[in-house]
Amino acid sequence: MVTFDQALPALLIALPVAGSCVLLACGRVVPRLLIDVIGTGTALAGTVLAGWLLYETGTGTVTSWSGGWEPRPGLTVGIVLVADRLGAAMALLIALLTTTALLFGWHYFDNLHAHYPALVLLFATGMTGFALTGDLFDMFVFFELMGVAAYALTGLKIEEPESVQAGLNFGVINSLGAYLCLFGIGLLYARTGQLGLAQLGTAVATRAGDALVLAAFVLIATGWLVKAPNPTAVVTPVRTTPVSAAVGASSHHGANRSRLPIFGNYPASLAANGTESARWAGISSSLAARLCCVP
Amino acid sequence: MTIFPYVIAGWLLLIGIYGVVRSTHLVHTVVCVSIGQSGTYVLLLAIGYQKDTSAPIFGSVNPPGSPVVDPVVQAMALTDIVVSATVTALLLALVVQIAKRHGTVEPDQLHALRG
């Protein structure tokens, strides 16, 4: 039996998806006020749930196996969501930023279509999933979901030449970065046979000088570096949509999160030659990208 | 294990990136992104491949427990293909809008943004 706190991570992902589906289904017929209320209401509900999840993680990590597919000896097929304190705090930050971005949209857009709140909610879904997943491949999937919503948000004002060009630039470069990451993920799986972050951390800890593991981490780190600092894409939406702060924050968080669980267990010898500097390069470049969003 | 499929996977990714860099038409750019992603399909399937085994579908011919190729990477490749379809559709839609707003689909002719 799944308890309510175990259902929280899954609810945090399902709720915004449901909200954006409702918005897209009836966005053409309902008045503007109702669109705003549904969008912001969903985001607010998500914020409350994220706060609750953060409270629950105070007593220990919340783990949720989707559909009750818990691992048994010799059989691990489930999809896992893991909310530790950092992940839950990030989910709360994401939900708060989403609510703020949607509130800002109330008066920012003269003629708002349901696309904007629906895309922002999908974007929030991708980010939340990214913060809460316990599995390297699902991180890639959630990243792509977040990415696709972000490309569409960047090109939201399709009547403006800058907006569509920025959307395409962002889409192409981000996708190439994601494929480099996926190459790294594939190589890690090939070497260790694991995709779960916790299992991967244990498996990698015993393989200090393994060239293939090193190559995989170089690919993943390069992929994040390609994706995180993308000034043309990140700066432009400042003028087009009020979500750039969230884009910056998410890529910054992404750059960190991908490293924290695995690199934490990685031997210091490897961290000394390259990985550590890559990590700092990632953090500083994504901070720079975020600073670009401030004006 | 043979190294051949891994070389193909790396080559597809690199030729895709090369195509994006050297592209003179935005539709060509988007197709090159897809080609780069095809490299990841080849890599994933190569990782899970085992000689003389069948697809991971169990039935009367193939009772549970008999050797099959790794289903995890097959599921990953399938997800990857879905992601690719979404990204390609969205990028092509943006190309259509760029053609309308800029009147050109040549990357070097787009002057709205200066990096």
Side-chain angles (χ1 to χ4, degrees):
Chain A
M1 188 60 208
V2 181
T3 56
F4 185 72
D5 59 311
Q6 279 179 324
L8 272 175
L11 262 180
L12 268 174
I13 292 167
L15 184 77
V17 175
S20 64
C21 288
V22 169
L23 281 170
L24 287 176
C26 54
R28 283 176 193 277
V29 287
V30 298
R32 161 85 190 256
L33 181 69
L34 195 57
I35 292 178
D36 279 338
V37 167
I38 295 174
T40 318
T42 314
L44 259 181
T47 312
V48 173
L49 287 179
W52 192 345
L53 182 64
L54 184 60
Y55 173 74
E56 292 287 344
T57 52
T59 51
T61 306
V62 178
T63 310
S64 139
W65 290 90
S66 309
W69 285 90
E70 297 198 8
R72 279 175 281 156
L75 182 71
T76 315
V77 290
I79 293 173
V80 65
L81 294 169
V82 180
D84 51 6
R85 271 177 153 171
L86 178 69
M90 280 300 163
L92 181 61
L93 176 68
I94 291 159
L96 270 174
L97 282 174
T98 310
T99 316
T100 325
L102 284 172
L103 273 177
F104 188 75
W106 281 49
H107 290 291
Y108 183 79
F109 293 101
D110 293 330
N111 53 343
L112 178 118
H113 299 289
H115 302 131
Y116 171 69
L119 279 171
V120 170
L121 286 177
L122 277 181
F123 184 59
T125 310
M127 286 194 288
T128 314
F130 194 76
L132 295 181
T133 184
D135 172 322
L136 200 53
F137 183 69
D138 285 335
M139 278 175 87
F140 167 76
V141 174
F142 279 120
F143 186 85
E144 282 296 296
L145 175 63
M146 172 167 92
V148 168
Y151 314 151
L153 278 170
T154 313
L156 190 71
K157 293 202 167 171
I158 50 170
E159 67 281 358
E160 287 183 4
E162 297 95 342
S163 180
V164 281
Q165 191 187 341
L168 189 82
N169 284 357
F170 188 24
V172 169
I173 295 182
N174 236 23
S175 303
L176 289 178
Y179 305 151
L180 288 178
C181 264
L182 185 57
F183 251 73
I185 293 170
L187 290 179
L188 271 184
Y189 178 73
R191 181 57 98 201
T192 62
Q194 301 292 346
L195 281 172
L197 292 176
Q199 295 87 332
L200 208 52
T202 321
V204 159
T206 56
R207 291 178 169 82
D210 194 323
L212 191 68
V213 172
L214 183 63
F217 274 99
V218 167
L219 279 169
I220 294 178
T222 316
W224 290 122
L225 284 180
V226 169
K227 287 188 288 189
N230 190 356
T232 26
V234 181
V235 175
T236 314
V238 173
R239 282 178 294 158
T240 54
T241 55
V243 288
S244 52
V247 176
S250 72
S251 57
H252 172 62
H253 171 51
N256 289 341
R257 178 171 164 86
S258 64
R259 295 183 185 119
L260 280 173
I262 308 173
F263 279 64
N265 279 338
Y266 214 51
S269 60
L270 193 58
N273 56 33
T275 357
E276 191 64 17
S277 55
R279 177 172 168 181
W280 283 108
I283 293 172
S284 52
S285 60
S286 44
L287 267 179
R290 190 143 67 140
L291 284 176
C292 291
C293 303
V294 173
Chain B
M1 191 191 99
T2 162
I3 201 167
F4 186 61
Y6 297 95
V7 174
I8 294 286
W11 182 76
L12 275 173
L13 182 70
L14 290 179
I15 205 81
I17 294 174
Y18 177 79
V20 169
V21 174
R22 297 282 297 166
S23 175
T24 54
H25 193 293
L26 287 178
V27 175
H28 175 263
T29 314
V30 176
V31 173
C32 286
V33 171
S34 295
I35 290 175
Q37 188 159 22
S38 313
T40 61
Y41 312 152
V42 177
L43 176 79
L44 290 175
L45 294 180
I47 287 168
Y49 183 74
Q50 283 194 40
K51 224 171 181 176
D52 301 326
T53 51
S54 59
I57 302 166
F58 296 118
S60 53
V61 189
N62 212 12
S66 53
V68 289
V69 298
D70 188 350
V72 173
V73 286
Q74 301 222 339
M76 283 164 74
L78 197 61
T79 317
D80 198 12
I81 290 167
V82 175
V83 166
S84 161
T86 320
V87 170
T88 308
L90 193 92
L91 290 181
L92 285 176
L94 283 170
V95 170
V96 171
Q97 287 304 325
I98 286 179
K100 279 186 193 163
R101 303 301 157 206
H102 293 254
T104 177
V105 282
E106 199 178 319
D108 292 340
Q109 299 291 318
L110 302 177
H111 291 309
L113 292 175
R114 292 280 186 187

